[in-house]
Amino acid sequence: MPSPSLTIDTPAGAVHATAGPRQDDAVVFELGGAVRGSVHVTGTHHPLHWDQFTAIRACLGPVNAYQTTAPDEDLPRLARGRTGYRGSLTLYRDAADRPQVTVYPMRTDADHELSEKTAAVLTAVLRMCAEDVAQRADLPAIWDAARQRDTPSLLRFLIWSVSHHQAEAARFEREAREAREAREAREAQPARRAAVADWWTVARWFTAAPHPVLLLMLADLPHSLARTVAVMQWLSPYCLDRAAEEHERARRAQAEVASLHAQQRGPTRRNTRGEVALTSATP
């Protein structure tokens, strides 16, 4: 069970964080001790699975920094400082069910970088607040509220992402085809075949008797035969690999779109890891 008040040991001293009543999709902690201000903790999607609301995000300030910007005067400050701080942290579990943390860049209210000590203090505060919310009995309600809040914007992004990745895949496939055709055309040219034969002749000379002049003739310089041959050899396979990656990204995004639509249509339940599973759905 979460504690109503946390004591967090930091390089700047002890920080006391007291959780207020849950605000539908979030819990706000009031800070005292070495840090003054507040931390906003809410549910969010897993960084690698955008259709699964199984992560927790903690933001410096009293509001969700991904929806609105907290006024400078409401940002957390060190007990003896006047500088406000912005930043956030996401807590989630990996495929092996181990806790992982992603810390997003923290800046001052004047958009300056933080010292290493200050960053360590604020990271410790954000993580402890997030971990406290992770133990709450009402965490599933926080995740469900986050899903309802974020699904429309996620769908817009993912639908755009499907089209973007499909277009990128088509572009790489086109470049692979053009590179293959160019290579075949050049290989069919007698002058090129002769040039390649000359290159290998020079290479054999260099192997038999290394000399700086021969090395210069073999060098991979801009617009050189060596560069042209090398590029044509790897460009087509490289583009095909990139096209396959883009097709896979489009497939994953499309699957996440379908999952989010299904979650919108029917009631859901959560398994022990917080992953959403449909209990019913209507067309």
Side-chain angles (χ1 to χ4, degrees), residues 57-60 65-66 86-90 102-106 123 126:
R57 183 172 63 238
C59 300
L60 295 171
Y66 282 67
R86 302 183 187 279
S88 64
L89 172 152
T90 298
T102 298
V103 180
Y104 297 90
M106 295 187 190
T123 298
L126 288 172

Side-chain angles (χ1 to χ4, degrees), residues 5 17 25 29 49 71 104 128 150-151 171 173 203 205 224 233 236 264 277:
S5 181
D25 65 345
F29 290 81
H49 305 285
Y104 297 90
M128 285 296 294
D150 292 345
T151 289
R171 179 174 68 85
E173 289 170 342
W205 290 347
S224 69
Q233 290 298 324
S236 181
Q264 282 184 320

Side-chain angles (χ1 to χ4, degrees), residues 114-255:
L114 276 61
S115 69
E116 184 175 341
K117 177 180 178 180
T118 300
V121 170
L122 297 175
T123 298
V125 171
L126 288 172
R127 178 159 188 165
M128 285 296 294
C129 291
E131 290 178 347
D132 189 71
V133 171
Q135 301 176 49
R136 293 177 64 103
D138 58 353
L139 179 59
I142 294 174
W143 273 332
D144 284 337
R147 176 174 54 81
Q148 294 173 17
R149 178 194 69 216
D150 292 345
T151 289
S153 59
L154 282 175
L155 283 172
R156 287 192 295 271
F157 170 75
L158 290 170
I159 290 170
W160 170 87
S161 183
V162 171
S163 299
H164 171 74
H165 291 308
Q166 289 173 340
E168 285 294 283
R171 179 174 68 85
F172 281 117
E173 289 170 342
R174 182 174 62 255
E175 291 182 5
R177 183 171 59 254
E178 293 171 352
R180 184 180 65 252
E181 292 172 351
R183 184 189 65 203
E184 292 171 351
R186 291 183 69 92
E187 288 175 348
Q189 297 173 2
R192 183 186 183 281
R193 290 200 298 271
V196 172
D198 291 344
W199 190 93
W200 282 109
T201 297
V202 172
R204 287 192 292 272
W205 290 347
F206 182 80
T207 301
H211 192 280
V213 174
L214 297 178
L215 182 61
L216 184 62
M217 295 174 67
L218 296 171
D220 184 13
L221 299 173
H223 310 298
S224 69
L225 177 61
R227 176 68 59 85
T228 301
V229 171
V231 168
M232 285 193 299
Q233 290 298 324
W234 65 255
L235 182 57
S236 181
Y238 167 79
C239 288
L240 289 176
D241 288 344
R242 290 295 306 274
E245 291 172 1
E246 293 295 336
H247 278 305
E248 175 59 18
R249 293 188 181 104
R251 185 199 64 77
R252 288 190 58 182
Q254 187 62 64

